[in-house]
Amino acid sequence: MTNFEHTRRQFVLPDGQLYFAGNSLGPAPKAAAKRVQQTIEAEWGSMVVKAWNTAGWMDQPDKLGNRLAPIVGATPDTITTGDTLSIKVFQALSSAVSMRPERRVILSDSGNFPTDLYMAGGLVNLLQSDYELRVVEPEGIMHALSENVAVVMLTQADYRTGRLHSMKDITQRAHEVGALTVWDLAHTAGAIATNLDTNKVDFAVGCTYKFLNAGPGSPAFIYVAPHLIDTASSVLSGWLGHARPFAFEPEYQAAAGIRHFRVGTPSVLAMASLDAALDVWDEVNINEVHSRSIELSELFIVEMAKSCPSLTLASPTDPYQRGSQVSFNCDYGYPLMQALIAAGVVGDFRAPDIIRFGITPLFLNEDDILKAVGIMQNIVDSASWDKPEFHARKAVT
Ligand SMILES: *Cc1c(COP(=O)(O)O)cnc(C)c1O
């Protein structure tokens, strides 16, 4: 059984903060600072360039992929890490599109995170020749899956409301019409059981700085289904995806296995931080994280309905239709969130009117939920959010 009191003790949780933004940037695992410092001193500092060979830096991206595999339900050697999620979205999508050369439609939904749609738009502009990014309402995806769709690209949990797409049903329908799937796990990796292998997903991508707590700008990851790995081309044919990077051959030849989805030099210090963040997961079961997330979310929703009835739940009420966050619509959401942050309840705001609370069982408990709701009730009842300082817009909301 996962011991959630033990996992909580493994994070740096600043005094006076009830932290509900772990779905945006996870808090620092205590081991991260030590691990990064060790990498700087004992590896970079003392071995310098020799460390590529002696400290295992070259294999780190794939080793970390294997540590991520059980968390997202993947078999070993199907995941590699590196770059940022936007890049991995482009890489997975371009690879998938090239495997359906007779089809011209990339299908996505209007609830998708903007960067995913921007990257897809960039790919369509590059390809030209009547390629189309077709964006439909989230509820319309099943209906829009037709035989001219090359790839359906979706984020499993909506970043504003937490609404989940059915990965299983959509993937199955996509395959029935001969399309491939690219799933973005930004808001589900480390939050719910994604079961990539059993859901027969073709490509998946995700970041490690949200529910996986590896630190700001930590490496992204890409998963490719075992039966596609060797036929899929990476498109971003960087030298570290080459079969023999240090032969410096003029012609590109893809490395065997998931390794050819690597692009360039790994960010070793960020990888060290990711490695430390994954230590927390050694004794954690993702199914238990998901059940615990549901318990905490249900408590939060019930208490909010009692204490702050004027806020409207924006997330689905059915816990199995929801990722690991709870959102509310509120006309004065921006100043309310600023007032909450000033009072130590750290969530975030997403335009036009959503306030979001990430529910992260590795370090949140019932006590945090009850305290946060109490603070929120005070602010709403007294309208103390309505002060000029809480209305001033910051660059990152
Ligand atoms: C957080 C998030 C991103 C961020 O992409 P970066 O390249 O890491 O900045 C992309 N897509 C989704 C769905 C996200 O939630």
Side-chain angles (χ1 to χ4, degrees), residues 160-163 301 312-317 322 325-328:
R160 279 175 290 218
T161 63
R163 173 202 39 74
I301 291 170
T312 322
L313 184 66
S315 301
T317 47
R322 198 170 64 219
Q325 71 180 63
V326 175
S327 306
F328 297 89

Side-chain angles (χ1 to χ4, degrees), residues 72-75 78-80 92 185 196-198 200-206 221-226 229 258:
V72 294
T75 38
T78 55
I79 297 179
T80 191
L185 312 182
L196 296 180
D197 282 337
T198 48
K200 301 204 163 25
V201 163
D202 300 297
F203 293 85
V205 293
F221 66 90
I222 184 166
Y223 160 91
V224 184
I229 287 180
I258 193 66

Side-chain angles (χ1 to χ4, degrees), residues 263-380:
V263 182
T265 304
S267 48
V268 171
L269 299 181
M271 298 250 166
S273 174
L274 173 56
D275 196 39
L278 291 174
D279 286 351
V280 177
W281 289 86
D282 281 345
E283 288 159 37
V284 170
N285 177 309
I286 186 66
N287 294 301
E288 290 165 7
V289 171
H290 191 182
S291 313
R292 178 90 180 120
S293 153
I294 291 175
E295 269 173 32
L296 294 173
S297 303
E298 293 289 290
L299 175 70
F300 187 47
I301 291 170
V302 167
E303 291 299 317
M304 282 292 286
K306 278 195 256 170
S307 304
C308 301
S310 62
L311 303 190
T312 322
L313 184 66
S315 301
T317 47
D318 175 355
Y320 294 97
Q321 304 276 329
R322 198 170 64 219
S324 204
Q325 71 180 63
V326 175
S327 306
F328 297 89
N329 296 104
C330 176
D331 293 341
Y332 52 91
Y334 186 81
L336 173 59
M337 184 49 74
Q338 293 308 309
L340 281 167
I341 293 170
V345 180
V346 182
D348 61 15
F349 172 79
R350 288 294 174 264
D353 69 340
I354 294 254
I355 52 172
R356 296 193 307 181
F357 300 89
I359 306 296
T360 45
L362 295 188
F363 55 86
L364 282 181
N365 59 28
E366 278 86 354
D367 200 35
D368 298 325
I369 303 262
L370 296 177
K371 278 188 193 147
V373 173
I375 292 171
M376 208 158 354
Q377 182 178 16
N378 273 335
I379 293 174
V380 171

Side-chain angles (χ1 to χ4, degrees), residues 23-24 84-87 89 112-116 155 157 159 184-187 207 209-210 218 220:
N23 57 329
S24 177
T84 69
L85 179 49
S86 303
I87 301 289
V89 166
N112 208 342
F113 190 78
T115 201
D116 297 47
T155 297
Y159 71 104
D184 188 328
L185 312 182
H187 292 280
C207 55
Y209 52 79
K210 292 174 180 164
S218 59

Side-chain angles (χ1 to χ4, degrees), residues 22-44:
N23 57 329
S24 177
L25 178 64
K30 286 179 183 161
K34 223 190 244 170
R35 188 73 50 86
V36 172
Q37 191 179 7
Q38 205 179 353
T39 305
I40 292 175
E41 290 175 358
E43 297 178 5
W44 182 23

